[in-house]
Amino acid sequence: MKFRPADDPRHTDAPDSHLVDWEDNAVSNTFAWASYKFLPSWCESPEHWTSRLTQYLFTDCPCCLLFRGIAVGVVLGLAFGTVANLAVILTVVALR
């Protein structure tokens, strides 16, 4: 699969626009395609919460970026897991 930033029709040749570069592999291209197809409004505005969060967490160091992603993933996973477990427990208690 090839989906490069230049393929993104939202890109313009305006002076303030720029192409985002990433590794050209199936994982990166799949994520780019999915974000363009399923959540296009998330990337269209620098004021969107996803853009602000990305700028807040960005680093040039790849291992720092990986560990920031892992930390955010763990926090979100624990929160989702807690809510899901609580929902199951409440359902079981309600059915008794």
Side-chain angles (χ1 to χ4, degrees), residues 18-30:
H18 63 284
L19 290 177
V20 177
D21 195 21
W22 63 73
E23 291 297 317
D24 193 11
N25 60 51
V27 174
S28 294
N29 291 330
T30 300

Side-chain angles (χ1 to χ4, degrees), residues 17-95:
S17 94
H18 63 284
L19 290 177
V20 177
D21 195 21
W22 63 73
E23 291 297 317
D24 193 11
N25 60 51
V27 174
S28 294
N29 291 330
T30 300
F31 276 116
W33 173 83
S35 67
Y36 172 71
K37 285 293 182 185
F38 301 116
L39 304 166
S41 65
W42 285 24
C43 300
E44 291 177 352
S45 168
E47 290 81 30
H48 195 272
W49 69 268
T50 54
S51 295
R52 292 194 315 263
L53 179 63
T54 302
Q55 291 170 359
Y56 183 74
L57 296 173
F58 183 76
T59 178
D60 285 331
C61 170
C63 55
C64 298
L65 189 58
L66 174 67
F67 285 110
R68 289 175 191 197
I70 289 171
V72 169
V74 166
V75 169
L76 292 176
L78 287 173
F80 177 76
T82 301
V83 169
N85 284 329
L86 187 59
V88 169
I89 291 169
L90 291 175
T91 302
V92 169
V93 169
L95 292 175

